[in-house]
Amino acid sequence: MRILVVEDEKRLAEALAQILRENRYLVDLAFDGQEGLDNALSGIYDAVILDVMLPAMDGFALTAELRRQKVMTPVLMLTARDQIADKVAGLDSGADDYMTKPFSPEELLARVRALMRRQGEILPDEAVFEDLTLNLSSGDLRCGVRSVHLNYKEFEICRLLMANPRAAVSKETLIVKVWGYDSGAEDNNVEAYISFLRKKLAFLGSRVGIEALRKVGYRLEGNRTC
Ligand code: CA
């Protein structure tokens, strides 16, 4: 899950990012409204957490522009102001939820989860494909009695492949979703991580393999005969 945080108070932005990262979300930060809009328009995010009072473009205008351009990523608005008028303006501009500062990490996480549920995204604890079970909280990949921990990028790649079983996921999609679209990551970064994942699948003794389709991408294949 990739979340964009748009917040000009850098300490708060960093604190938000830390809470989210500790809970296995991938987080990008933007510090003004224009940068936030540019990032959010990429459509790669599963949610946007957005401060209302921002330089360059406020949160209301940003959300309205996102919706005008048909980007429907769920938006959680954040503000120190708790006036009814602001809540109405926020929701009218197309935000999905509204949270007033200060807030607890637990409240933030609960609202982010609710936001993603409302988006219609199913958030099970586990993803399953053939003999593999990926625990989405712990990042452990299990096959039978064997289990192995996946690091951050391995986990995201594995999750994306399991979310689209038997459909190919392109290298470009993996770069954008796992590394970030301005990360400078290249095909060989993806290839390296695919190779790490394959080694872990072999260690687990799984019958699932990762098939490379030339010029298309990767997909999982079940019942692989070794
Ligand atoms: Ca602000």
Side-chain angles (χ1 to χ4, degrees):
M1 299 284 153
R2 192 170 201 104
I3 297 180
L4 175 66
V5 173
V6 191
E7 166 62 78
D8 59 314
E9 290 172 52
K10 292 208 173 166
R11 275 175 50 196
L12 179 58
E14 295 293 348
L16 284 167
Q18 190 184 343
I19 294 165
L20 293 166
R21 285 178 181 138
E22 281 168 1
N23 286 275
R24 305 197 66 83
Y25 294 103
L26 298 169
V27 181
D28 292 331
L29 295 176
F31 301 110
D32 69 50
Q34 188 59 54
E35 184 190 6
L37 178 65
D38 292 345
N39 287 359
L41 282 174
S42 70
I44 65 170
Y45 295 100
D46 299 294
V48 178
I49 297 175
L50 181 63
D51 189 26
V52 170
M53 299 300 287
L54 288 166
M57 175 184 288
D58 73 21
F60 302 136
L62 195 163
T63 307
E65 183 59 19
L66 264 191
R67 298 304 184 237
R68 198 184 67 79
Q69 300 208 31
K70 305 277 182 271
V71 175
M72 303 316 284
T73 309
V75 170
L76 171 61
M77 277 208 182
L78 215 59
T79 183
R81 299 185 299 176
D82 57 358
Q83 304 295 311
I84 293 291
D86 279 353
K87 295 189 184 181
V88 172
L91 297 172
D92 275 353
S93 71
D96 299 86
D97 198 6
Y98 200 101
M99 189 166 67
T100 50
K101 303 177 200 173
F103 49 84
S104 67
E106 290 73 25
E107 182 183 5
L108 171 73
L109 292 167
R111 284 184 188 262
V112 167
R113 283 194 299 271
L115 206 58
M116 291 182 174
R117 268 200 301 276
R118 235 172 299 166
Q119 183 71 351
E121 188 150 0
I122 303 156
L123 292 177
D125 291 338
E126 296 181 333
V128 178
F129 177 72
E130 302 276 339
D131 58 9
L132 288 178
T133 302
L134 177 63
N135 185 310
L136 299 175
S137 310
S138 68
D140 291 331
L141 184 63
R142 198 175 72 238
C143 176
V145 294
R146 287 195 157 190
S147 164
V148 66
H149 185 71
L150 301 185
N151 71 34
Y152 202 56
K153 293 194 170 70
E154 292 167 346
F155 170 82
E156 280 298 315
I157 293 170
C158 191
R159 188 179 69 77
L160 287 166
L161 292 173
M162 290 177 84
N164 303 279
R166 302 187 198 278
V169 181
S170 72
K171 283 182 183 170
E172 291 70 31
T173 299
L174 290 173
I175 287 173
V176 167
K177 289 232 169 199
V178 179
W179 277 263
Y181 70 99
D182 55 357
S183 64
E186 293 178 359
D187 285 4
N188 56 3
N189 299 96
V190 178
E191 286 156 16
Y193 274 87
I194 292 288
S195 147
F196 299 154
L197 264 180
R198 283 183 173 139
K199 289 199 177 82
K200 291 193 170 173
L201 293 177
F203 167 80
L204 290 171
S206 172
R207 293 166 66 84
V208 174
I210 302 172
E211 187 181 9
L213 302 165
R214 229 172 101 74
K215 296 192 193 303
V216 177
Y218 297 99
R219 78 175 168 209
L220 295 178
E221 50 176 352
N223 293 318
R224 185 173 54 113
T225 46
C226 304

